[in-house]
Amino acid sequence: MQIEIQRNGEVPLSKQIYQSIVDRIRSGLLQEDAQLPSVRDLSKQLGVSLVTVVKAYQLLEHEGLVKSIQGKGTFIRVKNSGEVPDVEEIHSYDWQLSVQDYLPRSQFARFHMVPEKIHLSSSMIDPGLLPNRLIEQSIIRMLSDNPRIVSQYGEIQGDEQLRIAMSEYLNELEVPSTPDNILVTSGSQQGIDLVTRTFVGPGDVVVLEAPTYPGAIDVFRGRGATILTVPVDKDGLRVDILQNICDKYKPKVIYTVPNFHNPTGIVMTLKRRRQILKIAQSIQCLIIEDDPCSEIYLDRKPPASIKSLDYNGHVIYLKGLSKTLAPGCRIGILAATGSIFNRLMAAKANSDLGSPLLTQKAILSFINSKRTMDHLKKLRTALRIRRDLVLELLSQQMPNGVSWIIPEGGLNIWISLPTWIDSNIILLEAKKQNLSFLPGSTCYPIEQENNHLRISYSYMNEQLLKQGITILCNILQKEIASRKTSDSTPNF
Ligand code: PMP
């Protein structure tokens, strides 16, 4: 089992071990009845004192997440299951836990596809709002014109025609690019992974926003990076804090989602974009500008991309097409200039030898046609209606003490609860009522804040959105009312 600890961090070692195990339980990497390493083994593996591990295990036990059985060991208990693990039953796969992995966290997998009927947890677009038929027709036409398309490799850099089309598309979005400095990736998730596996090794310092996109945290954690975080406010990433961190630790990479930030929906101001770039230039650091949603502006267009302000190759720009076109095609692009580009292409070759030609060609006829612009316009209209509906329901039904950020675009609303409420606990109740959302704790790379949650208004239709928001508001109303009642109960 891989547990990473940062010795010079501010979080106590026992808390880090505790958090790492909690992450694994929540990610489903550690399941009911799995046996944790003994205190002695783990303290030896991590080079920490026995007391540190004991403290971490005690904290887990206190939370009801593990059960210690004298003479047998410590076993995972899935919270609130109410059942004591049957340790007599020896699981035949238990030996696998001794095979060390390098996957300290995988929250994303947990929330991507969930069985709940009212699915507000992942920021995806309702398939009914995407141009499926057009893409289907394009695939059929292509296969009948050229059946050999599936019997050949494409270029590692990506299909040239698609790169030409994507370069024009990006230039429309005012992101300067040429077909030569575009790499086609399997979604922007792979873009994050390629940059990380190319430039980030164990101990390298990486700066992430807090909160941020959980899928990125998983990738950086997987490389053993030392992650430092910078909070976001209404103008985006706090540059004053970034400056202090950069002066002290000289990070190699800054990862940011400036447009309709995931999860908060905030748009970074132009001033901050300029400041971040200036800081990165001063310490020779790379910026990953992850931009899946700039086309989904619902009120006004976001400011110029950081990439458009960059003349020295500091910015690696990622544009995924999952939020606008076809998540199932798994196509995104990475745009970078200078010598880093070839290194990223080498990483792409190591990773998969190139994205599937079939899906690259499938979206080709769509990109840059008038149909794309019409589709995006319709998509914005449909999402504006859903966002406004949800905002209205929230203001009608949410109890006092709960607040949220009004997003000017993108797919999500970030909700903050009173600090004493843990959204992971609220989620357990929501799931019983067939509702899912993303607990905010998954979006914090280091010190987790538990009193936030993210809902997406883009996947469910209006009827299910109404049902979902009503369920959520009712659960929170009860929770807050129960606290008021217990506060007013006299203590004897
Ligand atoms: N970055 C951000 C900010 C995202 O929200 C997502 C998907 N939720 C991704 C990257 C990954 O998207 P994809 O790989 O589908 O392009």
Side-chain angles (χ1 to χ4, degrees), residues 283-303:
I283 54 161
Q284 309 215 323
C285 149
L286 296 170
I287 297 176
I288 304 178
E289 181 177 21
D290 188 2
D291 184 22
C293 286
S294 52
E295 302 92 323
I296 311 183
Y297 53 89
L298 304 180
D299 297 328
R300 66 189 69 83
K301 277 191 186 178

PDB file of all heavy atoms in Angstrom, residues 283-303:
ATOM      1  N   ILE A 283      10.319  32.548 -12.232  1.00  0.00           N
ATOM      2  CA  ILE A 283      10.967  31.368 -11.611  1.00  0.00           C
ATOM      3  C   ILE A 283      11.111  30.220 -12.598  1.00  0.00           C
ATOM      4  O   ILE A 283      11.374  29.086 -12.214  1.00  0.00           O
ATOM      5  CB  ILE A 283      10.197  30.890 -10.358  1.00  0.00           C
ATOM      6  CG1 ILE A 283       8.714  30.630 -10.697  1.00  0.00           C
ATOM      7  CG2 ILE A 283      10.315  31.868  -9.205  1.00  0.00           C
ATOM      8  CD1 ILE A 283       8.047  29.745  -9.683  1.00  0.00           C
ATOM      9  N   GLN A 284      10.882  30.479 -13.877  1.00  0.00           N
ATOM     10  CA  GLN A 284      11.031  29.473 -14.931  1.00  0.00           C
ATOM     11  C   GLN A 284      10.194  28.227 -14.658  1.00  0.00           C
ATOM     12  O   GLN A 284      10.701  27.104 -14.586  1.00  0.00           O
ATOM     13  CB  GLN A 284      12.499  29.079 -15.059  1.00  0.00           C
ATOM     14  CG  GLN A 284      13.382  30.294 -15.197  1.00  0.00           C
ATOM     15  CD  GLN A 284      14.551  30.055 -16.097  1.00  0.00           C
ATOM     16  OE1 GLN A 284      15.109  28.983 -16.085  1.00  0.00           O
ATOM     17  NE2 GLN A 284      14.898  31.035 -16.879  1.00  0.00           N
ATOM     18  N   CYS A 285       8.936  28.478 -14.496  1.00  0.00           N
ATOM     19  CA  CYS A 285       8.032  27.395 -14.130  1.00  0.00           C
ATOM     20  C   CYS A 285       6.975  27.238 -15.225  1.00  0.00           C
ATOM     21  O   CYS A 285       6.706  28.161 -15.997  1.00  0.00           O
ATOM     22  CB  CYS A 285       7.448  27.809 -12.777  1.00  0.00           C
ATOM     23  SG  CYS A 285       5.843  27.301 -12.354  1.00  0.00           S
ATOM     24  N   LEU A 286       6.420  26.047 -15.342  1.00  0.00           N
ATOM     25  CA  LEU A 286       5.386  25.791 -16.353  1.00  0.00           C
ATOM     26  C   LEU A 286       4.005  26.040 -15.757  1.00  0.00           C
ATOM     27  O   LEU A 286       3.787  25.794 -14.572  1.00  0.00           O
ATOM     28  CB  LEU A 286       5.445  24.338 -16.821  1.00  0.00           C
ATOM     29  CG  LEU A 286       6.715  23.899 -17.555  1.00  0.00           C
ATOM     30  CD1 LEU A 286       6.727  22.384 -17.720  1.00  0.00           C
ATOM     31  CD2 LEU A 286       6.787  24.578 -18.926  1.00  0.00           C
ATOM     32  N   ILE A 287       3.089  26.487 -16.609  1.00  0.00           N
ATOM     33  CA  ILE A 287       1.688  26.619 -16.167  1.00  0.00           C
ATOM     34  C   ILE A 287       0.866  25.649 -17.012  1.00  0.00           C
ATOM     35  O   ILE A 287       0.978  25.655 -18.247  1.00  0.00           O
ATOM     36  CB  ILE A 287       1.149  28.039 -16.417  1.00  0.00           C
ATOM     37  CG1 ILE A 287       1.935  29.072 -15.603  1.00  0.00           C
ATOM     38  CG2 ILE A 287      -0.339  28.129 -16.094  1.00  0.00           C
ATOM     39  CD1 ILE A 287       1.517  30.516 -15.879  1.00  0.00           C
ATOM     40  N   ILE A 288       0.057  24.822 -16.365  1.00  0.00           N
ATOM     41  CA  ILE A 288      -0.927  24.043 -17.132  1.00  0.00           C
ATOM     42  C   ILE A 288      -2.229  24.834 -17.069  1.00  0.00           C
ATOM     43  O   ILE A 288      -2.801  25.025 -15.985  1.00  0.00           O
ATOM     44  CB  ILE A 288      -1.169  22.637 -16.540  1.00  0.00           C
ATOM     45  CG1 ILE A 288       0.143  21.854 -16.417  1.00  0.00           C
ATOM     46  CG2 ILE A 288      -2.174  21.857 -17.392  1.00  0.00           C
ATOM     47  CD1 ILE A 288      -0.034  20.468 -15.787  1.00  0.00           C
ATOM     48  N   GLU A 289      -2.665  25.295 -18.213  1.00  0.00           N
ATOM     49  CA  GLU A 289      -3.937  26.034 -18.278  1.00  0.00           C
ATOM     50  C   GLU A 289      -4.988  25.057 -18.804  1.00  0.00           C
ATOM     51  O   GLU A 289      -5.021  24.737 -19.992  1.00  0.00           O
ATOM     52  CB  GLU A 289      -3.801  27.246 -19.217  1.00  0.00           C
ATOM     53  CG  GLU A 289      -5.078  28.046 -19.295  1.00  0.00           C
ATOM     54  CD  GLU A 289      -4.952  29.303 -20.180  1.00  0.00           C
ATOM     55  OE1 GLU A 289      -4.041  29.357 -21.035  1.00  0.00           O
ATOM     56  OE2 GLU A 289      -5.781  30.214 -20.017  1.00  0.00           O
ATOM     57  N   ASP A 290      -5.817  24.564 -17.904  1.00  0.00           N
ATOM     58  CA  ASP A 290      -6.800  23.541 -18.270  1.00  0.00           C
ATOM     59  C   ASP A 290      -8.124  24.259 -18.572  1.00  0.00           C
ATOM     60  O   ASP A 290      -8.695  24.907 -17.695  1.00  0.00           O
ATOM     61  CB  ASP A 290      -6.942  22.569 -17.080  1.00  0.00           C
ATOM     62  CG  ASP A 290      -7.789  21.360 -17.421  1.00  0.00           C
ATOM     63  OD1 ASP A 290      -8.228  21.244 -18.569  1.00  0.00           O
ATOM     64  OD2 ASP A 290      -8.010  20.530 -16.512  1.00  0.00           O
ATOM     65  N   ASP A 291      -8.589  24.129 -19.803  1.00  0.00           N
ATOM     66  CA  ASP A 291      -9.715  24.969 -20.228  1.00  0.00           C
ATOM     67  C   ASP A 291     -10.810  24.151 -20.925  1.00  0.00           C
ATOM     68  O   ASP A 291     -11.006  24.263 -22.130  1.00  0.00           O
ATOM     69  CB  ASP A 291      -9.169  26.056 -21.182  1.00  0.00           C
ATOM     70  CG  ASP A 291     -10.252  27.034 -21.597  1.00  0.00           C
ATOM     71  OD1 ASP A 291     -11.257  27.160 -20.882  1.00  0.00           O
ATOM     72  OD2 ASP A 291     -10.082  27.668 -22.661  1.00  0.00           O
ATOM     73  N   PRO A 292     -11.542  23.326 -20.170  1.00  0.00           N
ATOM     74  CA  PRO A 292     -12.562  22.526 -20.850  1.00  0.00           C
ATOM     75  C   PRO A 292     -13.845  23.297 -21.165  1.00  0.00           C
ATOM     76  O   PRO A 292     -14.661  22.827 -21.946  1.00  0.00           O
ATOM     77  CB  PRO A 292     -12.858  21.402 -19.842  1.00  0.00           C
ATOM     78  CG  PRO A 292     -12.495  21.939 -18.509  1.00  0.00           C
ATOM     79  CD  PRO A 292     -11.429  22.992 -18.734  1.00  0.00           C
ATOM     80  N   CYS A 293     -14.028  24.473 -20.553  1.00  0.00           N
ATOM     81  CA  CYS A 293     -15.378  25.071 -20.560  1.00  0.00           C
ATOM     82  C   CYS A 293     -15.480  26.484 -21.103  1.00  0.00           C
ATOM     83  O   CYS A 293     -16.534  27.103 -20.946  1.00  0.00           O
ATOM     84  CB  CYS A 293     -15.917  25.099 -19.122  1.00  0.00           C
ATOM     85  SG  CYS A 293     -16.411  23.507 -18.518  1.00  0.00           S
ATOM     86  N   SER A 294     -14.422  27.051 -21.724  1.00  0.00           N
ATOM     87  CA  SER A 294     -14.531  28.479 -22.066  1.00  0.00           C
ATOM     88  C   SER A 294     -15.682  28.760 -23.028  1.00  0.00           C
ATOM     89  O   SER A 294     -16.232  29.856 -23.052  1.00  0.00           O
ATOM     90  CB  SER A 294     -13.225  29.019 -22.637  1.00  0.00           C
ATOM     91  OG  SER A 294     -12.787  28.214 -23.694  1.00  0.00           O
ATOM     92  N   GLU A 295     -16.074  27.752 -23.821  1.00  0.00           N
ATOM     93  CA  GLU A 295     -17.184  27.971 -24.771  1.00  0.00           C
ATOM     94  C   GLU A 295     -18.531  28.016 -24.051  1.00  0.00           C
ATOM     95  O   GLU A 295     -19.528  28.484 -24.600  1.00  0.00           O
ATOM     96  CB  GLU A 295     -17.264  26.834 -25.802  1.00  0.00           C
ATOM     97  CG  GLU A 295     -16.013  26.617 -26.631  1.00  0.00           C
ATOM     98  CD  GLU A 295     -15.068  25.594 -26.018  1.00  0.00           C
ATOM     99  OE1 GLU A 295     -14.951  25.553 -24.783  1.00  0.00           O
ATOM    100  OE2 GLU A 295     -14.445  24.828 -26.762  1.00  0.00           O
ATOM    101  N   ILE A 296     -18.542  27.496 -22.789  1.00  0.00           N
ATOM    102  CA  ILE A 296     -19.838  27.423 -22.087  1.00  0.00           C
ATOM    103  C   ILE A 296     -20.005  28.642 -21.188  1.00  0.00           C
ATOM    104  O   ILE A 296     -20.152  28.535 -19.976  1.00  0.00           O
ATOM    105  CB  ILE A 296     -19.961  26.101 -21.298  1.00  0.00           C
ATOM    106  CG1 ILE A 296     -19.593  24.931 -22.211  1.00  0.00           C
ATOM    107  CG2 ILE A 296     -21.364  25.912 -20.742  1.00  0.00           C
ATOM    108  CD1 ILE A 296     -19.739  23.590 -21.569  1.00  0.00           C
ATOM    109  N   TYR A 297     -19.918  29.821 -21.799  1.00  0.00           N
ATOM    110  CA  TYR A 297     -20.188  31.039 -21.021  1.00  0.00           C
ATOM    111  C   TYR A 297     -21.692  31.265 -21.076  1.00  0.00           C
ATOM    112  O   TYR A 297     -22.323  31.111 -22.117  1.00  0.00           O
ATOM    113  CB  TYR A 297     -19.413  32.237 -21.570  1.00  0.00           C
ATOM    114  CG  TYR A 297     -19.592  32.491 -23.038  1.00  0.00           C
ATOM    115  CD1 TYR A 297     -20.617  33.310 -23.498  1.00  0.00           C
ATOM    116  CD2 TYR A 297     -18.755  31.879 -23.977  1.00  0.00           C
ATOM    117  CE1 TYR A 297     -20.788  33.528 -24.856  1.00  0.00           C
ATOM    118  CE2 TYR A 297     -18.930  32.092 -25.334  1.00  0.00           C
ATOM    119  CZ  TYR A 297     -19.946  32.916 -25.771  1.00  0.00           C
ATOM    120  OH  TYR A 297     -20.133  33.120 -27.107  1.00  0.00           O
ATOM    121  N   LEU A 298     -22.280  31.574 -19.927  1.00  0.00           N
ATOM    122  CA  LEU A 298     -23.733  31.729 -19.889  1.00  0.00           C
ATOM    123  C   LEU A 298     -24.124  33.190 -19.721  1.00  0.00           C
ATOM    124  O   LEU A 298     -25.263  33.562 -19.991  1.00  0.00           O
ATOM    125  CB  LEU A 298     -24.320  30.870 -18.764  1.00  0.00           C
ATOM    126  CG  LEU A 298     -23.961  29.369 -18.841  1.00  0.00           C
ATOM    127  CD1 LEU A 298     -24.580  28.608 -17.682  1.00  0.00           C
ATOM    128  CD2 LEU A 298     -24.397  28.767 -20.168  1.00  0.00           C
ATOM    129  N   ASP A 299     -23.206  33.997 -19.255  1.00  0.00           N
ATOM    130  CA  ASP A 299     -23.491  35.425 -19.136  1.00  0.00           C
ATOM    131  C   ASP A 299     -22.576  36.236 -20.058  1.00  0.00           C
ATOM    132  O   ASP A 299     -23.030  36.948 -20.904  1.00  0.00           O
ATOM    133  CB  ASP A 299     -23.329  35.888 -17.682  1.00  0.00           C
ATOM    134  CG  ASP A 299     -24.336  35.184 -16.778  1.00  0.00           C
ATOM    135  OD1 ASP A 299     -25.448  34.881 -17.257  1.00  0.00           O
ATOM    136  OD2 ASP A 299     -24.016  34.911 -15.615  1.00  0.00           O
ATOM    137  N   ARG A 300     -21.268  36.090 -19.865  1.00  0.00           N
ATOM    138  CA  ARG A 300     -20.324  36.816 -20.750  1.00  0.00           C
ATOM    139  C   ARG A 300     -19.101  35.946 -20.998  1.00  0.00           C
ATOM    140  O   ARG A 300     -18.800  35.054 -20.201  1.00  0.00           O
ATOM    141  CB  ARG A 300     -19.934  38.152 -20.145  1.00  0.00           C
ATOM    142  CG  ARG A 300     -19.131  38.063 -18.874  1.00  0.00           C
ATOM    143  CD  ARG A 300     -18.984  39.420 -18.236  1.00  0.00           C
ATOM    144  NE  ARG A 300     -20.239  39.904 -17.723  1.00  0.00           N
ATOM    145  CZ  ARG A 300     -20.750  39.556 -16.519  1.00  0.00           C
ATOM    146  NH1 ARG A 300     -20.082  38.761 -15.726  1.00  0.00           N
ATOM    147  NH2 ARG A 300     -21.909  40.007 -16.107  1.00  0.00           N
ATOM    148  N   LYS A 301     -18.432  36.259 -22.106  1.00  0.00           N
ATOM    149  CA  LYS A 301     -17.232  35.502 -22.461  1.00  0.00           C
ATOM    150  C   LYS A 301     -16.142  35.739 -21.425  1.00  0.00           C
ATOM    151  O   LYS A 301     -15.999  36.860 -20.935  1.00  0.00           O
ATOM    152  CB  LYS A 301     -16.700  35.964 -23.812  1.00  0.00           C
ATOM    153  CG  LYS A 301     -17.375  35.326 -24.986  1.00  0.00           C
ATOM    154  CD  LYS A 301     -16.590  35.657 -26.242  1.00  0.00           C
ATOM    155  CE  LYS A 301     -17.356  35.139 -27.451  1.00  0.00           C
ATOM    156  NZ  LYS A 301     -16.735  35.430 -28.706  1.00  0.00           N
ATOM    157  N   PRO A 302     -15.363  34.703 -21.104  1.00  0.00           N
ATOM    158  CA  PRO A 302     -14.259  34.915 -20.162  1.00  0.00           C
ATOM    159  C   PRO A 302     -13.130  35.729 -20.795  1.00  0.00           C
ATOM    160  O   PRO A 302     -13.069  35.859 -22.017  1.00  0.00           O
ATOM    161  CB  PRO A 302     -13.795  33.493 -19.831  1.00  0.00           C
ATOM    162  CG  PRO A 302     -14.309  32.644 -20.930  1.00  0.00           C
ATOM    163  CD  PRO A 302     -15.494  33.318 -21.534  1.00  0.00           C
ATOM    164  N   PRO A 303     -12.214  36.282 -19.975  1.00  0.00           N
ATOM    165  CA  PRO A 303     -11.101  37.070 -20.533  1.00  0.00           C
ATOM    166  C   PRO A 303     -10.139  36.207 -21.355  1.00  0.00           C
ATOM    167  O   PRO A 303     -10.273  34.984 -21.395  1.00  0.00           O
ATOM    168  CB  PRO A 303     -10.371  37.611 -19.288  1.00  0.00           C
ATOM    169  CG  PRO A 303     -11.166  37.249 -18.119  1.00  0.00           C
ATOM    170  CD  PRO A 303     -12.166  36.219 -18.501  1.00  0.00           C
TER     171      PRO A 303
END
